[in-house]
């Protein structure tokens, strides 16, 4: 055998061996792939991923968010992506719709805002949203949502609205907890500049911009169990976003809540300014006016205020304008005044338009800002 033949045979053998090794390697890879895509392997991967996510969320900052309405639930839906150490403290002065009917017909605290916050903090948000927010359209149940009726049923079973909310906190896969600010039947009362007394959320929502003073009746209502403890343990307390007189202020009109928030040991507070004025309630008020009302009610200024500077879609603004609502923006005068007062202003683009065409805070962008503030405070 000459050298050329030997070389050719060697080259051919090497090629065959390489091809065989390739086939074996590919077969092993395919086998590994089959194993990795088996139901058991996928389940194991999901379990590992779930544990990793829960560990990350468990190490997130402790946030207490105080408010009500859609503003608070919007914030919560964004925050739960960053931490599960969330306590939503929710107003119980709602008088409209299903909540109002259950309040007057059954004597229970209004469940609507509580339900929205439970849905917002649920891990499986879409499924829970469809079930708890299902609204009946016929018969005696017309206008009632299923979630409100579930809260009514559990309240009747336990004899305690707070325990009913606690039961739903336990039943749902929650990233945090929801608490009513008080379990006492309270109403908002206010007096206008002209001396007219306004009683209840509905009246105040119509004439809030003319208010001179506001309070809760009966006076001396106490915070619900767990509220003050949550504030004590918080890294950051968030006020809003939400209707000024009917969602945010009612919570801090509870004396022991306000007293706790004024304590030097309490975490810093951030007020999230609304995107728009509300017809009747805040139609003539600026962002500075909103902040002054918070200071007047709470007794101190929040350390931070979050303000939107993003542009509103013009096609949607026309509809809001017809309803008597306009965008809330920070001008140079307000900015200078607020800085002189000692509150740090945080500005950003927080505008989000829902599928229904409603202008809301962008859940993720707002949550990112809140979490950033909380982490800065933690790192101190």
């Amino acid at each position: 055998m000459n050298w050329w033949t030997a070389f050719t045979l060697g080259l051919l053998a090497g090629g065959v061996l390489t091809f065989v090794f390739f086939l074996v390697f590919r077969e092993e890879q395919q086998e590994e792939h089959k194993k990795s895509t088996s139901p058991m392997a996928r389940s194991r991967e999901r379990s590992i991923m779930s544990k990793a996510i829960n560990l990350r969320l468990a190490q997130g900052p402790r946030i207490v968010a105080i408010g009500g309405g859609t503003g608070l639930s919007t914030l919560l839906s964004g925050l739960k992506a960053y931490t599960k150490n969330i306590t939503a403290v929710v107003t119980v002065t709602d008088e409209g719709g299903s909540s109002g009917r259950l309040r007057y017909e059954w004597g229970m605290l209004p469940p609507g805002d509580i339900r929205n916050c439970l849905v917002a903090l649920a891990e499986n948000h879409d499924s829970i949203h469809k079930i708890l927010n299902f609204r009946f359209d016929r018969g005696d149940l017309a206008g009632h949502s299923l979630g409100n009726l579930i809260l009514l049923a559990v309240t009747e079973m336990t004899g305690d609205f707070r325990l009913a909310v606690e039961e739903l906190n336990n039943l749902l896969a929650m990233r945090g907890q929801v608490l009513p600010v008080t379990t006492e039947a309270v109403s908002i009362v206010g007096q206008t500049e002209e001396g007219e007394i306004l009683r209840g959320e509905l009246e105040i929502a119509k004439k809030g911009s003319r208010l001179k003073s506001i309070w809760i009746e009966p006076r001396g209502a106490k915070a619900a169990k767990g509220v003050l403890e949550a504030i004590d343990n918080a890294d950051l307390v968030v006020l809003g976003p939400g209707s000024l007189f009917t969602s945010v202020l009612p919570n801090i009109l509870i004396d022991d809540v306000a007293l706790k928030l004024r304590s030097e040991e309490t975490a810093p507070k951030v007020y999230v300014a609304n995107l728009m004025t509300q017809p009747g309630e805040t139609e003539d008020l600026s962002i500075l006016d909103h902040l002054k009302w918070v200071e007047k009610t709470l007794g101190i200024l929040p350390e931070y205020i979050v303000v939107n500077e993003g542009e509103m879609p013009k096609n949607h603004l026309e509809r809001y304008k017809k309803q008597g609502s306009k965008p809330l923006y920070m001008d140079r005068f307000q900015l200078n005044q607020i800085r002189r007062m000692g509150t740090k202003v945080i500005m950003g683009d927080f505008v989000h338009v829902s599928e229904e065409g409603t202008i809301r805070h962008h859940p993720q962008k707002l949550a990112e800002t809140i979490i950033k503030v909380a982490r800065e405070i933690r790192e101190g």
Side-chain angles (χ1 to χ4, degrees):
M1 183 185 299
N2 60 34
W3 69 270
W4 176 252
T5 304
F7 173 77
T8 303
L9 288 174
L11 193 63
L12 181 61
V16 170
L17 285 173
T18 302
F19 181 66
V20 169
F21 280 126
F22 169 75
L23 289 177
V24 171
F25 177 76
R26 190 177 67 170
E27 188 174 335
E28 288 177 350
Q29 288 292 95
Q30 288 174 341
E31 190 62 32
E32 285 297 318
H33 178 69
K34 286 178 183 177
K35 288 179 182 177
S36 67
T37 54
S38 68
M40 187 177 293
R42 288 197 300 270
S43 176
R44 188 164 57 250
E45 285 176 5
R46 282 196 299 269
S47 176
I48 293 169
M49 184 65 71
S50 177
K51 287 178 181 177
I53 291 171
N54 281 329
L55 179 61
R56 177 179 64 81
L57 294 175
Q59 294 171 342
R62 298 182 297 273
I63 308 289
V64 171
I66 299 176
T70 55
L72 180 58
S73 56
T74 296
L75 170 63
L76 297 176
S77 66
L79 281 178
K80 71 180 181 184
Y82 299 92
T83 179
K84 63 189 304 181
N85 301 315
I86 305 168
T87 298
V89 176
V90 188
T91 182
V92 288
T93 54
D94 191 4
E95 295 181 328
S98 171
S99 289
R101 286 169 58 192
L102 293 175
R103 180 173 186 170
Y104 291 111
E105 292 172 12
W106 287 84
M108 76 177 294
L109 291 175
D113 287 349
I114 296 278
R115 182 198 77 243
N116 286 333
C117 291
L118 287 167
V119 170
L121 283 179
E123 284 192 19
N124 196 350
H125 176 273
D126 290 338
S127 297
I128 297 297
H129 181 276
K130 289 175 184 176
I131 295 170
L132 294 189
N133 285 349
F134 172 80
R135 200 168 290 274
F136 297 91
D137 60 3
R138 293 190 300 278
D140 293 339
L141 296 181
H144 285 304
S145 70
L146 181 58
N148 285 0
L149 296 181
I150 290 173
L151 274 167
L152 170 62
V154 183
T155 300
E156 289 293 299
M157 289 167 60
T158 61
D160 187 308
F161 182 74
R162 185 193 63 79
L163 287 177
V165 176
E166 190 176 312
E167 279 296 316
L168 262 72
N169 274 306
N170 294 332
L171 285 171
L172 300 173
M174 299 279 291
R175 291 185 180 177
Q177 63 173 339
V178 179
L179 299 174
V181 67
T182 182
T183 52
E184 299 179 41
V186 293
S187 295
I188 317 171
V189 184
Q191 184 175 23
T192 67
E193 296 286 351
E194 299 79 20
E196 181 184 2
I197 300 296
L198 306 176
R199 295 189 179 278
E201 216 179 60
L202 298 178
E203 285 190 16
I204 284 177
K206 292 177 183 176
K207 301 179 181 180
S209 59
R210 293 163 48 195
L211 283 173
K212 179 178 70 174
S213 59
I214 188 171
W215 62 93
I216 286 284
E217 288 186 356
R219 295 179 185 269
K222 298 295 183 184
K225 181 181 177 182
V227 171
L228 302 183
E229 182 183 355
I231 295 172
D232 265 335
N233 295 326
D235 294 313
L236 184 68
V237 176
V238 184
L239 304 173
S243 304
L244 178 65
F245 295 113
T246 54
S247 290
V248 178
L249 297 189
N251 295 290
I252 56 179
L253 285 167
I254 304 296
D255 290 339
D256 49 1
V257 173
L259 185 63
K260 178 64 69 176
L261 291 173
R262 285 197 296 271
S263 169
E264 289 183 4
E265 288 77 32
T266 299
K269 293 154 287 296
V270 53
Y271 173 59
V272 181
N274 289 341
L275 300 175
M276 310 282 293
T277 62
Q278 292 178 274
E281 184 167 343
T282 59
E283 59 187 17
D284 297 319
L285 302 185
S286 65
I287 292 173
L288 179 58
D289 293 328
H290 280 68
L291 187 61
K292 285 181 176 179
W293 264 107
V294 172
E295 179 189 22
K296 180 179 178 180
T297 307
L298 186 57
I300 58 170
L301 276 164
E303 285 83 351
Y304 303 86
I305 182 171
V306 173
V307 178
N308 173 63
E309 60 180 354
E311 245 184 271
M312 307 280 183
K314 291 182 180 178
N315 54 327
H316 293 288
L317 280 181
E318 278 302 312
R319 177 167 54 85
Y320 276 89
K321 187 178 179 180
K322 289 175 183 177
Q323 297 170 356
S325 182
K326 62 182 181 181
L328 272 170
Y329 285 117
M330 177 84 75
D331 57 29
R332 178 59 59 179
F333 172 78
Q334 292 182 78
L335 180 61
N336 290 336
Q337 284 288 102
I338 291 172
R339 283 175 174 169
R340 285 195 196 102
M341 291 161 68
T343 296
K344 183 177 179 180
V345 180
I346 302 171
M347 304 184 77
D349 181 356
F350 301 110
V351 178
H352 172 71
V353 180
S354 70
E355 292 179 1
E356 296 80 23
T358 307
I359 296 176
R360 302 280 186 219
H361 279 88
H362 194 290
Q364 280 71 43
K365 290 180 180 178
L366 180 58
E368 283 173 9
T369 299
I370 297 299
I371 292 296
K372 183 179 178 183
V373 173
R375 283 175 178 159
E376 287 175 357
I377 291 166
R378 255 187 170 187
E379 292 164 6

